[in-house]
Short mmCIF file of all heavy atoms in Angstrom, two decimals:
data_model
loop_
_atom_site.label_atom_id
_atom_site.label_comp_id
_atom_site.label_asym_id
_atom_site.label_seq_id
_atom_site.Cartn_x
_atom_site.Cartn_y
_atom_site.Cartn_z
N MET A 1364 30.84 -26.94 -10.86
CA MET A 1364 29.68 -26.49 -10.09
C MET A 1364 29.15 -27.64 -9.23
O MET A 1364 28.98 -28.76 -9.73
CB MET A 1364 28.56 -26.05 -11.04
CG MET A 1364 28.82 -24.66 -11.65
SD MET A 1364 28.52 -23.37 -10.46
CE MET A 1364 26.76 -23.20 -10.62
N PRO A 1365 28.87 -27.39 -7.95
CA PRO A 1365 28.28 -28.45 -7.12
C PRO A 1365 26.85 -28.75 -7.57
O PRO A 1365 26.08 -27.84 -7.82
CB PRO A 1365 28.31 -27.87 -5.71
CG PRO A 1365 28.48 -26.42 -5.88
CD PRO A 1365 29.09 -26.16 -7.22
N ASN A 1366 26.59 -30.00 -7.68
CA ASN A 1366 25.29 -30.43 -8.16
C ASN A 1366 24.84 -31.65 -7.37
O ASN A 1366 25.69 -32.42 -6.92
CB ASN A 1366 25.37 -30.81 -9.64
CG ASN A 1366 24.69 -29.77 -10.51
OD1 ASN A 1366 23.78 -29.09 -10.07
ND2 ASN A 1366 25.15 -29.66 -11.73
N PRO A 1367 23.53 -31.85 -7.21
CA PRO A 1367 23.08 -33.10 -6.61
C PRO A 1367 23.46 -34.28 -7.49
O PRO A 1367 23.40 -34.20 -8.71
CB PRO A 1367 21.57 -32.93 -6.49
CG PRO A 1367 21.20 -31.80 -7.34
CD PRO A 1367 22.42 -30.94 -7.50
N ARG A 1368 23.88 -35.37 -6.86
CA ARG A 1368 24.39 -36.50 -7.63
C ARG A 1368 23.28 -37.28 -8.29
O ARG A 1368 23.48 -37.90 -9.32
CB ARG A 1368 25.17 -37.44 -6.71
CG ARG A 1368 26.35 -36.74 -6.09
CD ARG A 1368 27.54 -37.62 -6.07
NE ARG A 1368 28.69 -36.84 -5.64
CZ ARG A 1368 29.77 -37.39 -5.09
NH1 ARG A 1368 29.82 -38.70 -4.91
NH2 ARG A 1368 30.77 -36.65 -4.75
N ARG A 1369 22.14 -37.32 -7.63
CA ARG A 1369 21.04 -38.11 -8.18
C ARG A 1369 19.78 -37.26 -8.24
O ARG A 1369 19.59 -36.37 -7.42
CB ARG A 1369 20.76 -39.32 -7.28
CG ARG A 1369 21.90 -40.28 -7.16
CD ARG A 1369 21.46 -41.52 -6.41
NE ARG A 1369 20.60 -42.37 -7.23
CZ ARG A 1369 21.08 -43.22 -8.15
NH1 ARG A 1369 22.36 -43.33 -8.37
NH2 ARG A 1369 20.26 -43.97 -8.85
N LYS A 1370 18.95 -37.59 -9.18
CA LYS A 1370 17.64 -36.97 -9.22
C LYS A 1370 16.83 -37.48 -8.02
O LYS A 1370 16.86 -38.68 -7.71
CB LYS A 1370 16.94 -37.36 -10.51
CG LYS A 1370 15.51 -36.84 -10.61
CD LYS A 1370 14.86 -37.28 -11.91
CE LYS A 1370 13.41 -36.82 -11.95
NZ LYS A 1370 12.80 -37.12 -13.25
N ILE A 1371 16.13 -36.54 -7.31
CA ILE A 1371 15.31 -36.96 -6.18
C ILE A 1371 14.01 -37.57 -6.72
O ILE A 1371 13.34 -36.97 -7.56
CB ILE A 1371 15.03 -35.76 -5.26
CG1 ILE A 1371 16.33 -35.35 -4.55
CG2 ILE A 1371 13.96 -36.09 -4.23
CD1 ILE A 1371 16.20 -34.10 -3.72
N SER A 1372 13.70 -38.75 -6.22
CA SER A 1372 12.53 -39.48 -6.72
C SER A 1372 11.24 -38.74 -6.37
O SER A 1372 11.21 -37.93 -5.45
CB SER A 1372 12.49 -40.89 -6.16
OG SER A 1372 12.29 -40.81 -4.76
N ARG A 1373 10.21 -39.06 -7.09
CA ARG A 1373 8.93 -38.41 -6.86
C ARG A 1373 8.47 -38.60 -5.42
O ARG A 1373 7.98 -37.68 -4.77
CB ARG A 1373 7.87 -38.99 -7.81
CG ARG A 1373 7.64 -38.13 -9.02
CD ARG A 1373 6.67 -38.83 -9.95
NE ARG A 1373 7.33 -39.93 -10.65
CZ ARG A 1373 6.69 -40.82 -11.41
NH1 ARG A 1373 5.40 -40.75 -11.57
NH2 ARG A 1373 7.35 -41.77 -12.02
N SER A 1374 8.62 -39.82 -4.91
CA SER A 1374 8.13 -40.10 -3.56
C SER A 1374 8.92 -39.32 -2.53
O SER A 1374 8.37 -38.76 -1.59
CB SER A 1374 8.17 -41.60 -3.27
OG SER A 1374 9.50 -42.01 -3.07
N LYS A 1375 10.24 -39.26 -2.71
CA LYS A 1375 11.08 -38.54 -1.75
C LYS A 1375 10.76 -37.05 -1.78
O LYS A 1375 10.61 -36.40 -0.74
CB LYS A 1375 12.54 -38.76 -2.09
CG LYS A 1375 13.46 -38.25 -1.00
CD LYS A 1375 14.64 -39.17 -0.77
CE LYS A 1375 15.35 -38.77 0.51
NZ LYS A 1375 16.46 -39.66 0.82
N ARG A 1376 10.63 -36.50 -2.97
CA ARG A 1376 10.30 -35.09 -3.12
C ARG A 1376 8.95 -34.79 -2.47
O ARG A 1376 8.81 -33.82 -1.72
CB ARG A 1376 10.27 -34.75 -4.62
CG ARG A 1376 9.88 -33.32 -4.92
CD ARG A 1376 9.37 -33.20 -6.34
NE ARG A 1376 8.11 -33.94 -6.51
CZ ARG A 1376 7.56 -34.23 -7.69
NH1 ARG A 1376 8.16 -33.86 -8.81
NH2 ARG A 1376 6.43 -34.87 -7.77
N ASP A 1377 7.95 -35.63 -2.74
CA ASP A 1377 6.61 -35.38 -2.22
C ASP A 1377 6.55 -35.56 -0.71
O ASP A 1377 5.82 -34.84 -0.03
CB ASP A 1377 5.61 -36.30 -2.90
CG ASP A 1377 5.43 -35.92 -4.38
OD1 ASP A 1377 5.92 -34.83 -4.75
OD2 ASP A 1377 4.85 -36.69 -5.14
N LYS A 1378 7.35 -36.51 -0.18
CA LYS A 1378 7.37 -36.69 1.27
C LYS A 1378 7.91 -35.44 1.94
O LYS A 1378 7.40 -34.98 2.96
CB LYS A 1378 8.27 -37.88 1.63
CG LYS A 1378 7.52 -39.18 1.78
CD LYS A 1378 8.48 -40.28 2.16
CE LYS A 1378 8.00 -41.61 1.59
NZ LYS A 1378 9.09 -42.61 1.60
N ARG A 1379 8.97 -34.86 1.37
CA ARG A 1379 9.56 -33.66 1.93
C ARG A 1379 8.53 -32.54 1.94
O ARG A 1379 8.35 -31.83 2.93
CB ARG A 1379 10.78 -33.27 1.10
CG ARG A 1379 11.62 -32.19 1.77
CD ARG A 1379 12.36 -31.32 0.75
NE ARG A 1379 12.97 -32.06 -0.32
CZ ARG A 1379 12.87 -31.73 -1.61
NH1 ARG A 1379 12.18 -30.68 -1.96
NH2 ARG A 1379 13.46 -32.44 -2.54
N ARG A 1380 7.85 -32.37 0.82
CA ARG A 1380 6.89 -31.27 0.72
C ARG A 1380 5.68 -31.48 1.63
O ARG A 1380 5.09 -30.53 2.11
CB ARG A 1380 6.44 -31.12 -0.74
CG ARG A 1380 7.56 -30.54 -1.57
CD ARG A 1380 7.12 -30.28 -2.99
NE ARG A 1380 8.28 -29.94 -3.81
CZ ARG A 1380 8.25 -29.81 -5.11
NH1 ARG A 1380 7.12 -30.01 -5.77
NH2 ARG A 1380 9.33 -29.49 -5.78
N ALA A 1381 5.32 -32.73 1.86
CA ALA A 1381 4.17 -33.01 2.71
C ALA A 1381 4.42 -32.52 4.13
O ALA A 1381 3.58 -31.85 4.72
CB ALA A 1381 3.88 -34.50 2.71
N SER A 1382 5.60 -32.82 4.68
CA SER A 1382 5.89 -32.41 6.04
C SER A 1382 5.99 -30.89 6.12
O SER A 1382 5.59 -30.27 7.09
CB SER A 1382 7.18 -33.05 6.54
OG SER A 1382 8.30 -32.43 5.94
N TRP A 1383 6.54 -30.30 5.07
CA TRP A 1383 6.72 -28.86 5.04
C TRP A 1383 5.37 -28.16 5.04
O TRP A 1383 5.15 -27.19 5.77
CB TRP A 1383 7.52 -28.52 3.77
CG TRP A 1383 7.76 -27.09 3.51
CD1 TRP A 1383 8.65 -26.28 4.14
CD2 TRP A 1383 7.13 -26.28 2.50
NE1 TRP A 1383 8.61 -25.02 3.60
CE2 TRP A 1383 7.69 -25.00 2.58
CE3 TRP A 1383 6.15 -26.53 1.55
CZ2 TRP A 1383 7.28 -23.97 1.73
CZ3 TRP A 1383 5.77 -25.50 0.71
CH2 TRP A 1383 6.33 -24.25 0.80
N ALA A 1384 4.41 -28.69 4.25
CA ALA A 1384 3.09 -28.08 4.17
C ALA A 1384 2.36 -28.22 5.50
O ALA A 1384 1.68 -27.29 5.94
CB ALA A 1384 2.29 -28.74 3.06
N ALA A 1385 2.53 -29.37 6.16
CA ALA A 1385 1.86 -29.59 7.44
C ALA A 1385 2.37 -28.61 8.48
O ALA A 1385 1.61 -28.07 9.28
CB ALA A 1385 2.09 -31.02 7.89
N LYS A 1386 3.68 -28.37 8.47
CA LYS A 1386 4.27 -27.43 9.41
C LYS A 1386 3.71 -26.03 9.19
O LYS A 1386 3.34 -25.34 10.13
CB LYS A 1386 5.79 -27.38 9.20
CG LYS A 1386 6.58 -28.05 10.32
CD LYS A 1386 8.05 -27.75 10.15
CE LYS A 1386 8.86 -29.03 10.30
NZ LYS A 1386 10.24 -28.84 9.85
N LEU A 1387 3.66 -25.63 7.94
CA LEU A 1387 3.15 -24.31 7.60
C LEU A 1387 1.72 -24.16 8.10
O LEU A 1387 1.37 -23.17 8.71
CB LEU A 1387 3.18 -24.11 6.08
CG LEU A 1387 4.26 -23.22 5.49
CD1 LEU A 1387 4.00 -23.02 4.01
CD2 LEU A 1387 4.30 -21.87 6.19
N LYS A 1388 0.91 -25.16 7.82
CA LYS A 1388 -0.50 -25.10 8.19
C LYS A 1388 -0.66 -24.98 9.70
O LYS A 1388 -1.44 -24.19 10.18
CB LYS A 1388 -1.21 -26.37 7.70
CG LYS A 1388 -1.91 -26.19 6.37
CD LYS A 1388 -2.70 -27.45 6.03
CE LYS A 1388 -3.10 -27.43 4.56
NZ LYS A 1388 -3.64 -28.73 4.15
N SER A 1389 0.07 -25.80 10.45
CA SER A 1389 -0.13 -25.85 11.89
C SER A 1389 0.42 -24.60 12.59
O SER A 1389 -0.07 -24.21 13.63
CB SER A 1389 0.52 -27.10 12.46
OG SER A 1389 1.91 -27.02 12.30
N SER A 1390 1.47 -24.00 12.00
CA SER A 1390 2.14 -22.93 12.72
C SER A 1390 1.67 -21.54 12.31
O SER A 1390 1.95 -20.57 13.00
CB SER A 1390 3.65 -23.01 12.49
OG SER A 1390 3.93 -22.77 11.13
N SER A 1391 0.92 -21.45 11.20
CA SER A 1391 0.63 -20.11 10.70
C SER A 1391 -0.57 -19.48 11.38
O SER A 1391 -0.75 -18.27 11.31
CB SER A 1391 0.42 -20.15 9.19
OG SER A 1391 -0.65 -21.00 8.88
N LEU A 1392 -1.41 -20.28 12.02
CA LEU A 1392 -2.62 -19.72 12.61
C LEU A 1392 -2.86 -20.29 14.00
O LEU A 1392 -2.51 -21.43 14.27
CB LEU A 1392 -3.84 -20.03 11.73
CG LEU A 1392 -3.98 -19.21 10.45
CD1 LEU A 1392 -5.14 -19.74 9.64
CD2 LEU A 1392 -4.19 -17.75 10.75
N SER A 1393 -3.46 -19.49 14.86
CA SER A 1393 -3.92 -19.99 16.15
C SER A 1393 -5.38 -19.59 16.32
O SER A 1393 -5.94 -18.89 15.48
CB SER A 1393 -3.07 -19.42 17.27
OG SER A 1393 -3.37 -18.06 17.46
N ILE A 1394 -5.98 -20.04 17.40
CA ILE A 1394 -7.40 -19.78 17.62
C ILE A 1394 -7.56 -18.72 18.69
O ILE A 1394 -6.92 -18.77 19.74
CB ILE A 1394 -8.12 -21.09 18.01
CG1 ILE A 1394 -8.07 -22.06 16.82
CG2 ILE A 1394 -9.56 -20.82 18.41
CD1 ILE A 1394 -8.35 -23.49 17.20
N CYS A 1395 -8.41 -17.75 18.43
CA CYS A 1395 -8.66 -16.67 19.38
C CYS A 1395 -9.37 -17.20 20.61
O CYS A 1395 -10.30 -17.99 20.50
CB CYS A 1395 -9.50 -15.59 18.70
SG CYS A 1395 -10.03 -14.29 19.82
N GLU A 1396 -8.91 -16.76 21.81
CA GLU A 1396 -9.53 -17.23 23.04
C GLU A 1396 -10.91 -16.59 23.25
O GLU A 1396 -11.74 -17.12 23.97
CB GLU A 1396 -8.64 -16.87 24.24
CG GLU A 1396 -7.30 -17.56 24.21
CD GLU A 1396 -6.22 -16.66 24.77
OE1 GLU A 1396 -6.45 -15.98 25.76
OE2 GLU A 1396 -5.11 -16.67 24.17
N ASN A 1397 -11.11 -15.43 22.64
CA ASN A 1397 -12.35 -14.70 22.88
C ASN A 1397 -13.46 -15.14 21.93
O ASN A 1397 -14.56 -15.43 22.36
CB ASN A 1397 -12.08 -13.20 22.72
CG ASN A 1397 -13.24 -12.36 23.21
OD1 ASN A 1397 -13.68 -12.51 24.34
ND2 ASN A 1397 -13.73 -11.49 22.34
N CYS A 1398 -13.17 -15.20 20.62
CA CYS A 1398 -14.22 -15.51 19.66
C CYS A 1398 -13.96 -16.82 18.93
O CYS A 1398 -14.75 -17.21 18.08
CB CYS A 1398 -14.37 -14.36 18.66
SG CYS A 1398 -12.93 -14.09 17.62
N SER A 1399 -12.85 -17.49 19.24
CA SER A 1399 -12.46 -18.77 18.66
C SER A 1399 -12.44 -18.76 17.14
O SER A 1399 -12.72 -19.75 16.49
CB SER A 1399 -13.34 -19.91 19.20
OG SER A 1399 -14.68 -19.73 18.85
N GLU A 1400 -12.07 -17.60 16.58
CA GLU A 1400 -11.80 -17.53 15.15
C GLU A 1400 -10.31 -17.77 14.93
O GLU A 1400 -9.51 -17.67 15.87
CB GLU A 1400 -12.17 -16.14 14.62
CG GLU A 1400 -13.66 -15.88 14.56
CD GLU A 1400 -14.29 -16.38 13.28
OE1 GLU A 1400 -13.55 -16.90 12.42
OE2 GLU A 1400 -15.52 -16.27 13.16
N MET A 1401 -9.93 -18.06 13.69
CA MET A 1401 -8.52 -18.22 13.38
C MET A 1401 -7.84 -16.86 13.38
O MET A 1401 -8.38 -15.89 12.86
CB MET A 1401 -8.35 -18.85 11.99
CG MET A 1401 -8.97 -20.23 11.90
SD MET A 1401 -8.23 -21.40 13.05
CE MET A 1401 -7.04 -22.17 11.97
N LYS A 1402 -6.66 -16.80 14.00
CA LYS A 1402 -5.92 -15.54 14.02
C LYS A 1402 -4.43 -15.82 13.97
O LYS A 1402 -3.98 -16.95 14.14
CB LYS A 1402 -6.28 -14.73 15.25
CG LYS A 1402 -5.73 -15.30 16.55
CD LYS A 1402 -6.01 -14.34 17.69
CE LYS A 1402 -5.15 -14.63 18.91
NZ LYS A 1402 -3.72 -14.31 18.69
N ILE A 1403 -3.65 -14.76 13.70
CA ILE A 1403 -2.20 -14.88 13.67
C ILE A 1403 -1.70 -14.90 15.12
O ILE A 1403 -2.13 -14.06 15.92
CB ILE A 1403 -1.58 -13.70 12.89
CG1 ILE A 1403 -2.23 -13.59 11.51
CG2 ILE A 1403 -0.09 -13.88 12.77
CD1 ILE A 1403 -2.05 -12.21 10.89
N PRO A 1404 -0.81 -15.84 15.49
CA PRO A 1404 -0.32 -15.88 16.85
C PRO A 1404 0.45 -14.61 17.24
O PRO A 1404 1.17 -14.05 16.41
CB PRO A 1404 0.60 -17.10 16.89
CG PRO A 1404 0.48 -17.78 15.60
CD PRO A 1404 -0.29 -16.93 14.67
N HIS A 1405 0.31 -14.19 18.48
CA HIS A 1405 0.99 -13.01 19.02
C HIS A 1405 0.56 -11.72 18.32
O HIS A 1405 1.32 -10.75 18.27
CB HIS A 1405 2.52 -13.15 18.99
CG HIS A 1405 2.99 -14.44 19.58
ND1 HIS A 1405 2.90 -14.72 20.92
CD2 HIS A 1405 3.51 -15.55 19.00
CE1 HIS A 1405 3.37 -15.92 21.14
NE2 HIS A 1405 3.74 -16.46 20.00
N HIS A 1406 -0.64 -11.76 17.76
CA HIS A 1406 -1.20 -10.56 17.15
C HIS A 1406 -2.62 -10.36 17.69
O HIS A 1406 -3.26 -11.30 18.15
CB HIS A 1406 -1.27 -10.71 15.62
CG HIS A 1406 0.06 -10.54 14.95
ND1 HIS A 1406 0.35 -9.46 14.14
CD2 HIS A 1406 1.17 -11.30 14.98
CE1 HIS A 1406 1.58 -9.59 13.71
NE2 HIS A 1406 2.11 -10.70 14.19
N VAL A 1407 -3.09 -9.12 17.60
CA VAL A 1407 -4.45 -8.83 18.01
C VAL A 1407 -5.42 -9.54 17.05
O VAL A 1407 -5.19 -9.58 15.84
CB VAL A 1407 -4.69 -7.30 17.99
CG1 VAL A 1407 -6.14 -6.98 18.31
CG2 VAL A 1407 -3.77 -6.60 18.97
N CYS A 1408 -6.47 -10.11 17.62
CA CYS A 1408 -7.44 -10.83 16.79
C CYS A 1408 -8.15 -9.85 15.86
O CYS A 1408 -8.67 -8.82 16.31
CB CYS A 1408 -8.46 -11.52 17.70
SG CYS A 1408 -9.82 -12.25 16.79
N PRO A 1409 -8.17 -10.12 14.57
CA PRO A 1409 -8.83 -9.21 13.63
C PRO A 1409 -10.35 -9.26 13.73
O PRO A 1409 -11.02 -8.36 13.23
CB PRO A 1409 -8.35 -9.69 12.26
CG PRO A 1409 -7.99 -11.12 12.47
CD PRO A 1409 -7.54 -11.26 13.89
N HIS A 1410 -10.89 -10.30 14.37
CA HIS A 1410 -12.34 -10.45 14.41
C HIS A 1410 -12.95 -9.68 15.56
O HIS A 1410 -13.98 -9.03 15.41
CB HIS A 1410 -12.72 -11.93 14.50
CG HIS A 1410 -12.22 -12.73 13.34
ND1 HIS A 1410 -12.90 -12.79 12.14
CD2 HIS A 1410 -11.10 -13.48 13.18
CE1 HIS A 1410 -12.21 -13.56 11.30
NE2 HIS A 1410 -11.11 -13.98 11.91
N CYS A 1411 -12.34 -9.78 16.75
CA CYS A 1411 -12.94 -9.15 17.92
C CYS A 1411 -12.03 -8.08 18.55
O CYS A 1411 -12.46 -7.38 19.46
CB CYS A 1411 -13.29 -10.21 18.96
SG CYS A 1411 -11.86 -11.13 19.55
N GLY A 1412 -10.79 -7.96 18.09
CA GLY A 1412 -9.92 -6.93 18.61
C GLY A 1412 -9.34 -7.24 19.97
O GLY A 1412 -8.87 -6.34 20.66
N TYR A 1413 -9.37 -8.52 20.39
CA TYR A 1413 -8.85 -8.90 21.69
C TYR A 1413 -7.42 -9.43 21.58
O TYR A 1413 -7.07 -10.06 20.59
CB TYR A 1413 -9.75 -9.98 22.31
CG TYR A 1413 -10.82 -9.41 23.23
CD1 TYR A 1413 -11.84 -8.63 22.71
CD2 TYR A 1413 -10.80 -9.67 24.60
CE1 TYR A 1413 -12.83 -8.12 23.52
CE2 TYR A 1413 -11.80 -9.17 25.42
CZ TYR A 1413 -12.81 -8.39 24.88
OH TYR A 1413 -13.78 -7.89 25.70
N TYR A 1414 -6.65 -9.13 22.59
CA TYR A 1414 -5.33 -9.75 22.72
C TYR A 1414 -5.03 -9.98 24.18
O TYR A 1414 -5.17 -9.06 24.99
CB TYR A 1414 -4.25 -8.86 22.08
CG TYR A 1414 -2.89 -9.50 22.14
CD1 TYR A 1414 -2.60 -10.62 21.37
CD2 TYR A 1414 -1.90 -8.99 22.97
CE1 TYR A 1414 -1.37 -11.23 21.44
CE2 TYR A 1414 -0.65 -9.58 23.04
CZ TYR A 1414 -0.39 -10.70 22.27
OH TYR A 1414 0.83 -11.31 22.34
N LYS A 1415 -4.69 -11.21 24.56
CA LYS A 1415 -4.41 -11.60 25.94
C LYS A 1415 -5.57 -11.23 26.87
O LYS A 1415 -5.38 -10.72 27.97
CB LYS A 1415 -3.10 -10.95 26.44
CG LYS A 1415 -1.87 -11.66 25.92
CD LYS A 1415 -0.65 -11.23 26.71
CE LYS A 1415 0.54 -12.12 26.39
NZ LYS A 1415 1.73 -11.75 27.16
N GLY A 1416 -6.78 -11.46 26.41
CA GLY A 1416 -7.96 -11.25 27.25
C GLY A 1416 -8.38 -9.82 27.41
O GLY A 1416 -9.25 -9.51 28.20
N LYS A 1417 -7.72 -8.92 26.70
CA LYS A 1417 -8.08 -7.51 26.79
C LYS A 1417 -8.57 -7.02 25.44
O LYS A 1417 -8.05 -7.45 24.40
CB LYS A 1417 -6.87 -6.67 27.20
CG LYS A 1417 -6.65 -6.60 28.69
CD LYS A 1417 -5.50 -5.65 28.95
CE LYS A 1417 -5.18 -5.51 30.43
NZ LYS A 1417 -4.00 -4.65 30.61
N SER A 1418 -9.51 -6.08 25.46
CA SER A 1418 -9.97 -5.49 24.22
C SER A 1418 -9.00 -4.39 23.81
O SER A 1418 -8.90 -3.36 24.48
CB SER A 1418 -11.38 -4.92 24.40
OG SER A 1418 -11.74 -4.18 23.27
N VAL A 1419 -8.28 -4.62 22.74
CA VAL A 1419 -7.31 -3.63 22.28
C VAL A 1419 -8.00 -2.59 21.40
O VAL A 1419 -7.72 -1.41 21.47
CB VAL A 1419 -6.16 -4.32 21.51
CG1 VAL A 1419 -5.16 -3.30 21.00
CG2 VAL A 1419 -5.47 -5.34 22.41
N TYR A 1420 -8.90 -3.07 20.57
CA TYR A 1420 -9.71 -2.14 19.78
C TYR A 1420 -11.03 -2.82 19.48
O TYR A 1420 -11.15 -4.04 19.56
CB TYR A 1420 -8.99 -1.71 18.52
CG TYR A 1420 -8.95 -2.78 17.43
CD1 TYR A 1420 -9.85 -2.76 16.37
CD2 TYR A 1420 -7.99 -3.78 17.48
CE1 TYR A 1420 -9.81 -3.73 15.39
CE2 TYR A 1420 -7.95 -4.76 16.49
CZ TYR A 1420 -8.85 -4.74 15.45
OH TYR A 1420 -8.82 -5.70 14.50
N THR A 1421 -12.03 -2.03 19.13
CA THR A 1421 -13.32 -2.59 18.75
C THR A 1421 -13.46 -2.49 17.24
O THR A 1421 -13.55 -1.38 16.70
CB THR A 1421 -14.46 -1.84 19.43
OG1 THR A 1421 -14.22 -0.44 19.31
CG2 THR A 1421 -14.56 -2.20 20.89
N PRO A 1422 -13.41 -3.64 16.56
CA PRO A 1422 -13.51 -3.61 15.11
C PRO A 1422 -14.88 -3.14 14.66
O PRO A 1422 -15.90 -3.64 15.14
CB PRO A 1422 -13.24 -5.06 14.70
CG PRO A 1422 -13.52 -5.87 15.90
CD PRO A 1422 -13.27 -5.00 17.10
N GLU A 1423 -14.88 -2.15 13.78
CA GLU A 1423 -16.16 -1.65 13.27
C GLU A 1423 -16.71 -2.63 12.26
O GLU A 1423 -15.99 -3.10 11.39
CB GLU A 1423 -15.95 -0.27 12.63
CG GLU A 1423 -15.58 0.80 13.65
CD GLU A 1423 -14.90 1.99 12.97
OE1 GLU A 1423 -15.25 2.26 11.82
OE2 GLU A 1423 -14.01 2.60 13.59
N SER A 1424 -17.99 -2.94 12.41
CA SER A 1424 -18.61 -3.89 11.49
C SER A 1424 -18.71 -3.29 10.09
O SER A 1424 -19.29 -2.23 9.89
CB SER A 1424 -20.01 -4.26 12.00
OG SER A 1424 -20.75 -3.08 12.21
N VAL A 1425 -18.08 -3.98 9.15
CA VAL A 1425 -18.05 -3.48 7.77
C VAL A 1425 -19.36 -3.86 7.09
O VAL A 1425 -19.74 -5.03 7.09
CB VAL A 1425 -16.84 -4.07 7.00
CG1 VAL A 1425 -16.76 -3.45 5.61
CG2 VAL A 1425 -15.56 -3.84 7.78
N SER A 1426 -20.04 -2.88 6.57
CA SER A 1426 -21.32 -3.13 5.94
C SER A 1426 -21.15 -3.70 4.55
O SER A 1426 -20.18 -3.39 3.89
CB SER A 1426 -22.14 -1.84 5.86
OG SER A 1426 -21.42 -0.86 5.19
ZN1 ZN B 391 -11.20 -12.92 18.45
#
C-alpha cells in the first residue's frame, strides 16, 4: 500500500491548514454593492434582494 514516508510535522501540517482556511474565508463571501452586507458571490443578496444593481426581489421583513 502506498503510504507517506514520514509523519508530517505539526508546523508543516498547521501551515498547510492556515493557508487553506484563509482561502476559504476570502473566497466564500463577497460584499453587497447595495447594502454592503456579506453575501455569496454571483447570487442575489439575501438582505436586500439586489443583484447587479437591480432589485430581483423584495425580502419581506421577518418579524
Ligand atoms: Zn444587499
Side-chain angles (χ1 to χ4, degrees):
M1364 283 285 277
N1366 252 333
R1368 299 222 172 156
R1369 297 187 74 81
K1370 176 181 177 175
I1371 290 175
S1372 65
R1373 262 175 285 172
S1374 73
K1375 190 141 192 178
R1376 178 202 66 193
D1377 291 348
K1378 266 181 211 163
R1379 191 209 316 134
R1380 288 184 190 171
S1382 74
W1383 177 76
K1386 252 190 227 167
L1387 255 187
K1388 263 186 195 169
S1389 65
S1390 65
S1391 59
L1392 285 174
S1393 72
I1394 295 162
C1395 174
E1396 296 145 40
N1397 191 53
C1398 64
S1399 63
E1400 289 274 358
M1401 299 299 264
K1402 71 174 197 70
I1403 307 159
H1405 310 291
H1406 283 248
V1407 175
C1408 173
H1410 300 277
C1411 61
Y1413 266 67
Y1414 182 69
K1415 282 195 169 181
K1417 275 185 180 176
S1418 172
V1419 179
Y1420 75 99
T1421 46
E1423 292 159 32
S1424 54
V1425 184
S1426 56

